[in-house]
Amino acid sequence: MVVYSAPGKVILFGEHAVVYGKPAIALAVNRRIYCDISEGEDITTVNGREIDKEKQGYLSEVIEQTGVHHPLRINTDSELPSGAGMGSSAALTVSALGCLLNDKGDIEESKIAEEGFKVEYSVQGSASPIDTSTSTHGSAVMLSDRKLKDFLWNIEKGEKSWKVHHRDIPEIKLVIGYTGVHARTGPLVQKVRNFYEKSNFAQDIVDEIGEVVNLGSEALEENDLERVGELMNRNHKLLSILGISHPSLEALCQASRKYSYGAKLTGAGGGGSMIAITDEPSKVAEVIRMRGGTPYMLESTDEGLTQEK
Ligand code: MEV
């Protein structure tokens, strides 16, 4: 029996545009998925029931990709709501890969991140490596098309190449607001792709998100939270123009801004969650609750993929 856990994530800047090779910044958060895999008997089970390839696409793809032929007994335990933009699919994928690819406890992060990306790409029909790299590495991660300081690994797909970098965790207080609207990443990524492929305007918006991410990276380095917040608001507006916001996200972002440096949707959008950075987390949590959302006062974590005792 092997048990691995991997953290969820929040994207501070750059979701969707990162699929087209633009930069993005994400933080690993202190809510995790635990995955425990041992040899099964006649059939592969997940939490006691036969695996369902439709419903358990990520786990099925992990098994397919790692080429395991014998039945498995898989048990999962999640501290992350699914479809909430907090990276539950990536954390599940990465922790399951940890169980199946560990070589006597020895894990090569770059290999897990690369395989995790392939799993997400295959299940969603398109993806970037931001979620799986953050869940594997922990801390904060920046993807870019250029090698910057603290380079970790490179992930390629077709003509695209993402350089993954370690970033130290910025000193910010985060509040996540879950709208309660379950949103699947694959169809949202596809929606943006349709727009992007047909319209120069959408391509300009994606380019502009890339510029905002680079400015956001500088502001984080300077610990200039006013500027970080301003850029988050701008990033949110650009994502809304791409068509992936939702009335519930608009309501939570708008209400949170009163007590925040800035707020934006985080992850795929279409519902899911928003994120605010603030000095007054309990006030932000309160307004999120008043607008019908569920606040999570998450903290960032250094701990990426980890073998549990
Ligand atoms: C989802 O957390 C982030 C997206 O950019 C998709 C991806 O990068 O794979 C929307």
Side-chain angles (χ1 to χ4, degrees):
M1 187 181 83
V2 206
V3 185
Y4 272 85
S5 74
K9 62 91 212 345
V10 288
I11 297 183
L12 278 187
F13 290 109
E15 48 276 269
H16 286 286
V18 67
V19 173
Y20 306 94
K22 301 294 168 198
I25 302 170
L27 301 179
V29 294
N30 62 342
R31 278 186 177 236
R32 310 177 69 81
I33 287 189
Y34 297 80
C35 187
D36 158 351
I37 303 189
S38 52
E39 246 184 74
E41 280 163 21
D42 306 325
I43 50 164
T44 291
T45 57
V46 181
N47 298 331
R49 294 208 178 150
E50 183 172 5
I51 190 164
D52 178 334
K53 285 196 176 164
E54 290 290 307
K55 289 195 186 131
Q56 283 143 340
Y58 292 94
L59 281 176
S60 303
E61 188 60 30
V62 166
I63 296 169
E64 174 92 21
Q65 214 170 279
T66 47
V68 177
H69 294 299
H70 53 81
L72 298 169
R73 184 182 298 112
I74 305 174
N75 284 305
T76 62
D77 190 6
S78 177
E79 299 168 345
L80 290 158
S82 84
M86 293 187 217
S88 62
S89 315
L92 179 62
T93 299
V94 164
S95 56
L97 283 168
C99 293
L100 295 180
L101 293 181
N102 92 90
D103 180 14
K104 300 186 187 73
D106 205 13
I107 281 286
E108 206 186 315
E109 277 194 356
S110 59
K111 166 101 180 137
I112 299 280
E114 184 164 15
E115 294 301 316
F117 165 62
K118 286 189 199 155
V119 168
E120 284 215 326
Y121 196 96
S122 159
V123 176
Q124 291 166 196
S126 189
S128 82
I130 186 86
D131 292 7
T132 38
S133 285
T134 309
S135 188
T136 305
H137 179 65
S139 305
V141 161
M142 176 164 183
L143 266 57
S144 170
D145 60 352
R146 286 168 298 135
K147 243 188 192 182
L148 308 169
K149 73 171 166 70
D150 296 328
F151 171 75
L152 294 170
W153 54 72
N154 189 40
I155 294 186
E156 287 178 4
K157 177 82 189 171
E159 287 166 7
K160 264 178 271 132
S161 151
W162 293 270
K163 313 283 187 274
V164 181
H165 305 84
H166 166 84
R167 286 288 169 268
D168 290 320
I169 294 177
E171 288 192 16
I172 47 180
K173 291 195 184 80
L174 307 172
V175 182
I176 316 294
Y178 177 39
T179 59
V181 179
H182 185 276
R184 284 174 55 225
T185 304
L188 288 154
V189 170
Q190 199 50 50
K191 181 176 173 181
V192 175
R193 179 171 292 287
N194 294 343
F195 191 19
Y196 182 85
E197 280 172 357
K198 278 195 217 109
S199 143
N200 288 339
F201 174 70
Q203 291 165 22
D204 289 346
I205 297 293
V206 164
D207 288 346
E208 203 175 325
I209 292 177
E211 286 158 26
V212 168
V213 179
N214 285 327
L215 295 172
S217 165
E218 283 168 23
L220 283 166
E221 217 151 288
E222 287 158 13
N223 207 20
D224 183 347
L225 298 188
E226 299 278 353
R227 179 90 176 122
V228 172
E230 204 179 287
L231 290 162
M232 284 171 70
N233 292 342
R234 204 162 125 201
N235 194 165
H236 179 80
K237 200 172 275 175
L238 294 166
L239 289 165
S240 308
I241 296 170
L242 285 181
I244 52 112
S245 190
H246 184 275
S248 60
L249 283 167
E250 293 303 318
L252 298 191
C253 285
Q254 215 174 3
S256 302
R257 283 189 186 123
K258 190 167 173 204
Y259 301 110
S260 306
Y261 292 104
K264 63 180 271 295
L265 71 83
T266 185
S273 299
M274 47 71 67
I275 176 175
I277 60 166
T278 176
D279 288 335
E280 299 178 287
S282 38
K283 282 198 178 146
V284 175
E286 183 56 28
V287 293
I288 288 173
R289 212 174 280 116
M290 274 162 55
R291 292 296 180 105
T294 307
Y296 292 88
M297 311 251 230
L298 300 186
E299 280 170 28
S300 41
T301 177
D302 269 339
E303 221 184 305
L305 177 64
T306 304
Q307 181 165 20
E308 301 290 326
K309 294 278 174 295

